[in-house]
Amino acid sequence: LVDDSEDQDLLFSDDFSDGKADGWTIESGQWAVLNGEFVETSDASSPSVALRGPVRDDVQLTAQARSTDNDDFGLAVRVQDEDNLYFFTVNIQNSRAQFQKRSHGEVSILSESDFTPPPFSIPFEVSVRTQQDHLQAFINGRLILEASDAEFSTGRSGLYARFNKYAAFDRVRLVTLASLKDVRNNTIYVDAQNKGKPADGQTLATAWGTIGDALRDPRFRDSAGNIILI
């Protein structure tokens, strides 16, 4: 979950509403703005990467993503060039999410998990946060994958696709970590049967009685990556 209220912490944002991709660098692949989205228009077997923004170390990159294909698409971070980078991808065909590293052209998997993305053409929000040697990936604000690696400590950020014709991205934002909440991964419980009873939301027996109570829980307000379980 991102708090974007501090504009000084916003490194760039782009919704492609002007029909242009000003400021973007095409590292590889064939990218174009189509109907207000930035789209990889080829079906290349090699990685397709488009970059924007400064070289930075600890940031969070967020984009709205969707796909009409069933292969890899996601975000690239700490990019040195097309052969040296980290990238987070989801794959509809294989129902999985991965952090991968490409070092001198050789790809290794840093971490992976089972994950079923939304159906074809349904957009969802994907974010990647880099902090020192730690990588975290979020889907719709929920932490789903983490990895650690120290080879690349800084670099540029951008969009990634492979074997995925018409992978589309919108509402891309890069922010510094100063504007973000700590990730805590709390589970906050809600049960209507507990309404009016003493509650702290920390267990099912002491669940908050309403969703509003859960939203006011300090753990939810002051941190990110939390789950409200109703």
Side-chain angles (χ1 to χ4, degrees):
L1 300 174
V2 181
D3 179 357
D4 296 325
S5 60
E6 299 296 331
D7 288 342
Q8 64 268 27
D9 295 313
L10 176 65
L11 299 174
F12 83 84
S13 66
D14 201 339
D15 63 7
F16 310 103
S17 59
D18 60 359
K20 301 177 182 178
D22 292 342
W24 288 87
T25 301
I26 308 304
E27 194 74 15
S28 54
Q30 299 176 20
W31 297 81
V33 178
L34 301 175
N35 299 317
E37 297 175 304
F38 201 28
V39 179
E40 212 296 316
T41 61
S42 74
D43 199 23
S45 60
S46 57
S48 298
V49 179
L51 303 176
R52 187 175 171 188
V55 173
R56 295 295 293 262
D57 48 8
D58 297 342
V59 293
Q60 181 160 306
L61 177 66
T62 300
Q64 179 179 283
R66 68 179 185 90
S67 175
T68 59
D69 200 346
N70 58 8
D71 290 301
D72 289 350
F73 66 112
L75 303 179
V77 292
R78 293 188 173 172
V79 180
Q80 318 299 301
D81 54 45
E82 63 180 299
D83 287 327
N84 296 276
L85 69 157
Y86 299 120
F87 51 98
F88 169 74
T89 67
V90 295
N91 185 295
I92 295 175
Q93 179 177 354
N94 297 323
S95 296
R96 58 129 172 92
Q98 291 183 331
F99 267 120
Q100 298 184 32
K101 176 175 70 171
R102 190 174 178 93
S103 178
H104 304 288
E106 296 295 323
V107 175
S108 57
I109 298 173
L110 301 178
S111 64
E112 63 181 331
S113 67
D114 294 336
F115 173 72
T116 302
F120 288 130
S121 298
I122 302 299
F124 60 93
E125 183 185 84
V126 56
S127 300
V128 171
R129 181 182 297 196
T130 60
Q131 188 167 20
Q132 298 180 8
D133 65 351
H134 196 52
L135 308 172
Q136 296 176 304
F138 304 80
I139 299 292
N140 292 333
R142 180 178 178 181
L143 178 66
I144 65 164
L145 194 63
E146 300 183 84
S148 294
D149 190 86
E151 181 170 358
F152 308 132
S153 60
T154 188
R156 298 186 71 194
S157 304
L159 312 174
Y160 177 93
R162 180 175 178 270
F163 271 136
N164 195 313
K165 190 172 185 179
Y166 300 128
F169 300 87
D170 197 3
R171 302 177 187 174
V172 187
R173 299 174 64 85
L174 183 69
V175 299
T176 69
L177 295 193
S179 63
L180 302 178
K181 299 176 181 178
D182 291 336
V183 176
R184 300 284 177 82
N185 300 318
N186 297 299
T187 298
I188 301 168
Y189 294 90
V190 175
D191 186 344
Q193 296 184 34
N194 287 356
K195 188 174 181 179
K197 298 179 182 178
D200 58 16
Q202 299 200 31
T203 69
L204 186 58
T206 61
W208 295 115
T210 69
I211 296 173
D213 290 334
L215 294 174
R216 289 186 288 272
D217 189 307
R219 292 170 297 156
F220 186 83
R221 295 199 316 266
D222 299 337
S223 63
N226 303 305
I227 298 171
I228 294 178
L229 184 61
I230 303 168

